[in-house]
Amino acid sequence: MRIKRYGSWTDALRRAGIEPLDIRKSISKDELGAILIQKTEELGYIPRVSSDEFIHAKQAINKFGSWNAFVKAAGLKPREPGESVTDSKRRKKHTLESLVDLALQMEKETGHFPTYREYPYLETVVQRFKSWQKFVEACEKSFD
């Protein structure tokens, strides 16, 4: 439908006033490092290469040879194999209720229910509820 109306997804974005991001565009090593540092500050931890937390991961690996070499080149310390993203002693333990409460609080603050990409504890939700959809349904039930 969008392609017929606007020609392409890129054209649709531009007509909406959004400049599309081209992840294929070559980014310098210095720029990649700066983006990694900024993303690390946003997340509070170094993004995981196996997730979509750092969309330029493939380019960084190609330019630096490996994810850990890239992280080191940016002046950060890579995690050891099996090391948690966050310090488990400081990590908050979530109950089913606290996960639901957080989603409802986010909805109240933003005016929309968070997407799975916006929700900070997606992995915990999937472990506890078995799927994002089941979590959404639990949130809807608690709201009734």
Side-chain angles (χ1 to χ4, degrees):
M1 181 80 157
R2 283 185 287 255
I3 291 175
K4 282 184 180 179
R5 185 174 291 161
Y6 299 108
S8 71
W9 177 247
T10 302
D11 291 340
L13 288 173
R14 285 193 175 121
R15 289 180 96 178
I18 301 167
E19 188 57 35
L21 178 63
D22 185 0
I23 62 171
R24 297 168 299 187
K25 180 182 133 202
S26 183
I27 300 172
S28 74
K29 286 182 170 184
D30 289 341
E31 287 176 297
L32 283 168
I35 294 168
L36 178 64
I37 290 169
Q38 179 184 3
K39 191 66 175 177
T40 299
E41 289 172 359
E42 284 174 23
L43 294 171
Y45 57 87
I46 297 170
R48 294 170 291 220
V49 69
S50 61
S51 71
D52 63 350
E53 293 173 338
F54 191 78
I55 61 172
H56 304 292
K58 191 176 217 175
Q59 190 174 155
I61 291 167
N62 287 339
K63 288 188 179 200
F64 290 88
S66 73
W67 180 255
N68 282 347
F70 169 54
V71 170
K72 287 176 188 174
L76 302 172
K77 182 182 177 282
R79 286 188 298 279
E80 296 296 321
E83 182 182 347
S84 176
V85 171
T86 57
D87 180 359
S88 62
K89 291 179 183 157
R90 292 186 359 209
R91 195 176 332 153
K92 183 177 178 182
K93 303 292 184 210
H94 293 284
T95 64
L96 299 178
E97 294 80 18
S98 71
L99 292 167
V100 169
D101 289 345
L102 176 60
L104 297 176
Q105 181 64 35
M106 289 174 73
E107 179 179 37
K108 185 177 178 182
E109 290 172 2
T110 64
H112 72 277
F113 192 81
T115 65
Y116 72 92
R117 289 178 184 258
E118 296 170 323
Y119 194 79
Y121 304 109
L122 176 62
E123 290 177 20
T124 305
V125 162
V126 172
Q127 286 175 340
R128 297 282 187 81
F129 290 88
K130 306 301 180 211
S131 75
W132 178 255
Q133 186 56 41
K134 287 180 182 176
F135 174 66
V136 171
E137 291 167 5
C139 291
E140 290 170 349
K141 287 180 185 174
S142 73
F143 192 71
D144 293 338

